[in-house]
């Protein structure tokens, strides 16, 4: 039987005709970008939805990370994780900052706070952890270290849309948090991103930085960049926001189905529940262990052969890419937990429209080894 390929994710798209009124509005306004009406509406709506006070929209998550570092005037060395998408560390290189890789915790695969202190030097100015797969970092432990050593904390929260801990949004921790609204994310604006700011003054600085440094027609206060989100993307975001709770609920259903279907497959370990935090089910990572009859790569290839395109997020480790591998902190013996996870991880397809019968078929393929 000829089946359509199943990708690791697929964007949730609202009905096309529901987008027409937004397009008509843009045509009528004739404001296409530079902080237009939809841009303003979306900033406000996202603050309300996420439970944060100040948020600056961006054209993508990577430029938001680059700008967040600029906004806090971070220099020197920054402690970060090797177990992430390459944009995390690239944002440091774009600012002339040296990344210092620290190993991850085996349970969450987030930066291990117990290993951070040993990597701090007189040049260290900040920590950039990632809430990997939307699972919260140990924010309290990280903040204690940052306070002790007077370091900034910038969370790469690209995966953590809508995630909350016991007292509110996970995005309110640290000095700044950065979201991605890329097509593959839980909430998408085709391309997009945002910085969550603690106060209006920081947001204003970030708003200047994303608009070339312009404060008014004749005043430029910093060598800013063009990081603005267009009206089309912002309008699409307004529409997407209407369906995001339903989309996350559907993802939760798929997550539960996988866990049930895979629960006693030897050597297959779906990564843990979200602990005390709410989860957004942005990814469904499994770790393939020695008890499984095939290697992770053999399973990945066999699924692909059957039209199921899982992804090995995050393999290779960032520290293994050529621009990082010469750093002393990139040595494999410095990063044993991250290295082991990168060799064993496979993210299975998860997205709102994925049918339960496809989840069953994927689980059956995994069980069939
Ligand atoms: N920090 C972290 C921790 C991140 O994970 C990311 C991005 C960033 C920062 C940077 O944020 P952005 O600058 O991207 O806003 C994808 C995404 O491009 C990237 O946004 C994401 N992380 C990363 C984890 O995954 P690829 O190269 O794996 O994507 P791609 O194009 O292979 O897409 C995966 C699958 O999704 C495809 O096989 C099919 C499906 N797909 C994809 C697109 C783009 C669709 O069905 N429709 C689409 O439009 O990087």
């Amino acid at each position: 039987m000829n089946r359509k390929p199943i990708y690791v994710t697929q964007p949730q798209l609202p009905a096309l005709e529901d987008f027409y009124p937004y397009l008509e509005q843009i045509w009528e306004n004739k404001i296409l970008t530079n902080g237009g009406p939809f841009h303003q509406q979306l900033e406000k709506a996202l603050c309300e939805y996420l439970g944060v006070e100040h948020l600056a929209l961006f054209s993508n998550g990577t430029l938001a990370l680059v700008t967040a570092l600029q906004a806090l005037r971070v220099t020197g060395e920054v402690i970060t994780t090797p177990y992430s998408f390459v944009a995390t560390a690239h944002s440091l290189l774009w600012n002339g900052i040296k990344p210092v890789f620290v190993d991850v915790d085996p349970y969450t695969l987030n930066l291990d706070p117990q290993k951070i202190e040993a990597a701090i030097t007189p040049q260290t100015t900040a920590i950039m952890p990632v809430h990997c797969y939307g699972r919260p970092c140990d924010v309290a432990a990280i903040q204690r270290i940052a306070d002790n050593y007077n370091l900034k904390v910038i969370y790469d929260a690209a995966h953590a849309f809508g995630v909350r801990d016991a007292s509110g949004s996970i995005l309110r921790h640290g000095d700044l948090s950065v979201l991605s609204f890329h097509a593959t994310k839980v909430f998408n604006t085709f391309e997009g991103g945002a910085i969550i700011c603690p106060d209006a003054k920081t947001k204003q600085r970030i708003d200047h930085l994303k608009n070339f440094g312009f404060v008014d027609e004749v005043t430029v206060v910093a060598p800013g960049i063009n990081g603005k989100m267009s009206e089309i993307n912002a309008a699409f975001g307004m529409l997407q926001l209407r369906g995001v709770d339903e989309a996350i609920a559907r993802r939760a259903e798929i997550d539960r189905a996988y866990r049930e279907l895979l629960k006693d497959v030897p050597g297959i370990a779906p990564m843990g529940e979200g602990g005390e935090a709410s989860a957004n089910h942005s990814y469904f990572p499994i770790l393939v262990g020695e008890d499984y009859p095939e290697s992770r790569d053999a399973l990945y290839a066999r699924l692909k052969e059957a039209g199921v395109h899982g992804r090995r997020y995050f393999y290779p480790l960032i520290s293994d890419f050529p621009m990082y591998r010469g750093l002393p902190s990139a040595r494999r013996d410095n990063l044993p937990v991250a290295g082991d996870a990168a060799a064993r991880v496979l993210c299975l397809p998860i997205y709102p429209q994925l049918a339960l019968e496809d989840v069953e078929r994927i689980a059956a393929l995994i069980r069939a080894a």
Side-chain angles (χ1 to χ4, degrees), residues 132-300:
C132 193
Y133 310 128
R135 294 203 171 83
C137 293
D138 186 343
V139 289
I142 291 171
Q143 197 56 53
R144 268 196 302 276
I145 298 167
D147 291 344
N148 280 344
Y149 291 87
N150 194 23
L151 305 176
K152 304 279 188 207
V153 182
I154 297 152
Y155 281 102
D156 180 338
H159 304 169
F161 185 88
V163 176
R164 282 172 276 274
D165 62 15
S167 38
S169 171
I170 198 72
L171 305 169
R172 73 195 192 288
H173 294 287
D175 294 276
L176 296 172
S177 288
V178 174
L179 287 168
S180 163
F181 305 146
H182 181 260
T184 54
K185 298 297 191 287
V186 165
F187 168 79
N188 91 79
T189 56
F190 283 41
E191 290 272 4
I195 303 182
I196 287 57
C197 323
D199 51 61
K201 194 164 161 243
T202 313
K203 172 171 157 55
Q204 191 182 47
R205 174 161 168 75
I206 287 169
D207 283 344
H208 294 156
L209 283 172
K210 78 176 187 195
N211 187 27
F212 313 97
F214 273 113
V215 169
D216 59 39
E217 269 180 49
V218 290
T219 317
V220 174
V221 290
I225 194 114
N226 181 356
K228 292 168 278 121
M229 177 182 276
S230 86
E231 284 292 279
I232 290 262
N233 300 97
F236 186 75
M238 286 303 294
L239 179 56
Q240 278 292 75
L241 205 50
R242 284 168 28 184
V244 75
D245 283 335
E246 206 180 308
I248 293 174
R250 249 317 268 148
R251 285 172 175 274
E253 204 180 319
I254 291 161
D255 183 300
R256 277 194 299 275
Y258 270 133
R259 280 180 205 280
E260 185 57 31
L261 292 161
L262 296 173
K263 73 172 180 243
D264 35 47
V265 184
I268 295 294
M271 276 192 61
E273 310 279 332
E276 290 196 355
S278 68
N280 64 6
H281 311 283
S282 45
Y283 296 86
F284 194 83
I286 58 169
L287 295 174
V288 182
E290 277 163 15
D291 292 347
Y292 193 68
E294 282 176 341
S295 69
R296 184 276 310 269
D297 289 338
L299 173 61
Y300 164 78

Side-chain angles (χ1 to χ4, degrees), residues 7 9-11 61-62 84-85 156 158-159 180 182 185 311 313:
Y7 295 108
T9 189
Q10 197 118 85
T62 304
S84 180
F85 188 59
D156 180 338
H159 304 169
S180 163
H182 181 260
K185 298 297 191 287
R311 289 297 284 267
Y313 296 132

